Amino acid sequence: MQEKLSVGASNALPTILSTSASYVDFEGTDDPEHPQNWRLSRKLLASILACSGTFIVSLASAIFAPGVDQASKAFGVGTEVGILGTTLYVLGFAAGPLIWAPASELRGRKWPLTIAMLGGGIFTIASAVAKNIQTLIICRFLAGMFGASQMTVVPGVLADLYNNTTRGAVITLYALTVFVGPLMAPFVGGFIVSSYLGWRWTLYIPAIFGLANGLLSVFFLDETYPPYILVMKATAIRKESQNSSILARHEEIEVNIAGLVEKYFTRPLKLLFTEPIILLVSSYMSFIYGLVYALLGAYPLVFEHVYGMTPAIAGLMFISFIIGMVLACGFILFGQLAYARKLAENKGIPVPEWRLAPTFLGAPLLAIGLFWFGWTGFTPKIHWAVPASAGICIGFAVLCIFLPCFNYIVDAYVPIAASAVAANIMLRSAVAASFPLFSRQMFQNMGIQWASTLLGCLAAIMIPIPIIFRAYGPQLRGKSKVFP
């Protein structure tokens, strides 16, 4: 199970400085030191620490939203300015991969994740104690930039730990942490804001969780990146044998800053504009991801203003989304059995288009759910349970679209997966950051039914995207400018 020196097809990292060293390597495919051969309890501990960090970060991204009105009044600014506390946090997700992706490939997974959780916790506390709006939104952006480590590095951790057969199921559970966090945030934040604690505790609480996760990671999170595990192995052997010529290949990597910029900034942007698969699928995913943050503004408008609920009770309506996502998780996991069977029949070689099957159900359900929500939630004459139930349909659809599309991009661009994922994260985070800026005004000015109709029509227009890629994906990949 020899690890390649280069990461993907990039020349950003490797330049060999020595040719006379003795190199350590894993002792065959069954080497117990390789993360995929660890005992299950050790894998689960690393997975839980990493995924719980993702949940904390995603919760922190939206938990401030219920406190925007209080914070805006405290600082004497308009609500539109206060919303920047959410927008800039999510925008930090777009900037963070430029730091954390190369760091995880140079120094392993553990310390980028650990440092990011501790740093994010510190900047979230700084936001909580802010004396002016400028400090709050700047610290929120920095906290989001640190939080991007979880979005960028955790999929790599799971790829280190699990093989092709089981990785899809684990990534499905990871996707729940990405979405359930922002969907829990409205009612968690709503109850905090409605209590004597006030809006600042919507920041203190995720900061405490983040710092706790970071401290636990310092002591209990094992390194999972195979090349860096070999670095630690070589270091131990050198110390014991006093033989300085024993090295891991990863130690002879010369950091090329220009190459790193190419891989994680220039190339992702180039991929967005030259690869139709990445552009269209990432645009579709960006709409889905942004929709979640748009509904953070729309739901309070419907259930507080139309049905007269308190902010905390209105936030509980997001539970329907979570139910839908859990159902989608079960649906995708059930489909994983068929995927594993196809993979075995194809001698372990994945076909990216196999990943898209759940989107054929999710894509039309998303449009149906949006129309359902808009045309039943604009009047109190219809019981509140009817628009609330639309969240089950929307939540189910969101996960059934987002996760298969993410796996599709990774499978289609395996040699440059890091750049493809960076492109996807940058676009979807930038788009999602913009949605809170206009979603509430859009629902207020257009009316709930017509704003939902607009979003539903956009979702309907995008239904053919996964169908097209299922049918013509192989031909498009064959014409890619990236691969010869």
Side-chain angles (χ1 to χ4, degrees), residues 1-57:
M1 192 177 292
Q2 184 174 355
E3 294 299 318
K4 293 182 180 180
L5 177 60
S6 61
V7 178
S10 172
N11 293 321
L13 301 181
T15 299
I16 301 300
L17 303 179
S18 170
T19 58
S20 60
S22 298
Y23 298 107
V24 299
D25 206 340
F26 292 109
E27 298 175 2
T29 57
D30 297 325
D31 189 336
E33 292 188 22
H34 194 285
Q36 291 187 6
N37 298 323
W38 289 354
R39 63 184 184 276
L40 181 59
S41 59
R42 190 178 179 190
K43 286 185 179 183
L44 289 177
L45 178 60
S47 302
I48 290 170
L49 281 172
C51 292
S52 63
T54 305
F55 172 77
I56 292 166
V57 166

Side-chain angles (χ1 to χ4, degrees), residues 16-306:
I16 301 300
L17 303 179
S18 170
T19 58
S20 60
S22 298
Y23 298 107
V24 299
D25 206 340
F26 292 109
E27 298 175 2
T29 57
D30 297 325
D31 189 336
E33 292 188 22
H34 194 285
Q36 291 187 6
N37 298 323
W38 289 354
R39 63 184 184 276
L40 181 59
S41 59
R42 190 178 179 190
K43 286 185 179 183
L44 289 177
L45 178 60
S47 302
I48 290 170
L49 281 172
C51 292
S52 63
T54 305
F55 172 77
I56 292 166
V57 166
S58 62
L59 177 71
S61 70
I63 196 172
F64 175 70
V68 164
D69 290 339
Q70 284 189 11
S72 299
K73 290 178 182 178
F75 293 129
V77 297
T79 303
E80 292 78 8
V81 178
I83 290 174
L84 291 174
T86 296
T87 295
L88 289 181
Y89 189 99
V90 179
L91 192 61
F93 287 167
L98 301 178
I99 300 171
W100 304 114
S104 72
E105 294 182 350
L106 289 171
R107 295 292 179 261
R109 316 295 193 195
K110 174 175 179 172
W111 291 111
L113 284 174
T114 301
I115 291 170
M117 288 304 297
L118 295 174
I122 291 169
F123 279 110
T124 302
I125 287 179
S127 302
V129 301
K131 302 299 182 184
N132 54 63
I133 192 66
Q134 296 93 329
T135 301
L136 186 146
I137 61 177
I138 290 171
C139 288
R140 284 284 286 170
F141 172 77
L142 293 172
M145 192 166 66
F146 276 85
S149 175
Q150 297 292 325
M151 304 295 178
T152 308
V153 179
V154 172
V157 171
L158 300 179
D160 295 338
L161 292 170
Y162 303 96
N163 59 28
N164 283 337
T165 304
T166 57
R167 188 180 303 136
V170 177
I171 292 290
T172 300
L173 297 174
Y174 160 76
L176 277 180
T177 66
V178 174
F179 284 104
V180 170
L183 295 173
M184 284 183 61
F187 60 83
V188 174
F191 280 111
I192 293 171
V193 170
S194 300
S195 72
Y196 67 92
L197 295 174
W199 69 269
R200 292 186 187 272
W201 276 91
T202 64
L203 301 173
Y204 280 127
I205 288 176
I208 292 169
F209 286 145
L211 291 172
N213 180 275
L215 289 173
L216 288 172
S217 297
V218 169
F219 298 105
F220 300 110
L221 180 62
D222 290 326
E223 180 56 63
T224 66
Y225 189 43
Y228 204 73
I229 290 174
L230 292 176
V231 170
M232 295 188 294
K233 180 178 180 179
T235 302
I237 294 174
R238 281 198 305 269
K239 184 176 180 180
E240 182 179 348
S241 66
Q242 300 298 311
N243 184 351
S244 61
S245 66
I246 297 176
L247 298 172
R249 298 181 189 278
H250 196 70
E251 292 180 279
E252 294 198 326
I253 290 175
E254 183 182 64
V255 179
N256 184 330
I257 300 300
L260 291 175
V261 172
E262 160 70 15
K263 181 177 183 181
Y264 291 104
F265 184 71
T266 307
R267 184 192 288 171
L269 292 178
K270 183 178 179 181
L271 289 174
L272 280 175
F273 293 104
T274 60
E275 293 294 311
I277 287 177
I278 292 180
L279 177 61
L280 288 176
V281 175
S282 294
S283 298
Y284 194 19
M285 292 173 66
S286 298
F287 173 72
I288 301 302
Y289 197 55
L291 182 66
V292 173
Y293 287 91
L295 292 174
L296 293 177
Y299 259 55
L301 188 67
V302 170
F303 294 104
E304 291 177 33
H305 295 270
V306 175

Side-chain angles (χ1 to χ4, degrees), residues 415-444:
I416 53 167
S419 296
V421 169
N424 179 268
I425 291 174
M426 290 166 64
L427 180 62
R428 80 172 192 245
S429 298
V431 171
S434 67
F435 269 67
L437 295 175
F438 65 82
S439 60
R440 188 166 184 170
Q441 293 87 336
M442 180 178 73
F443 275 86
Q444 286 175 331

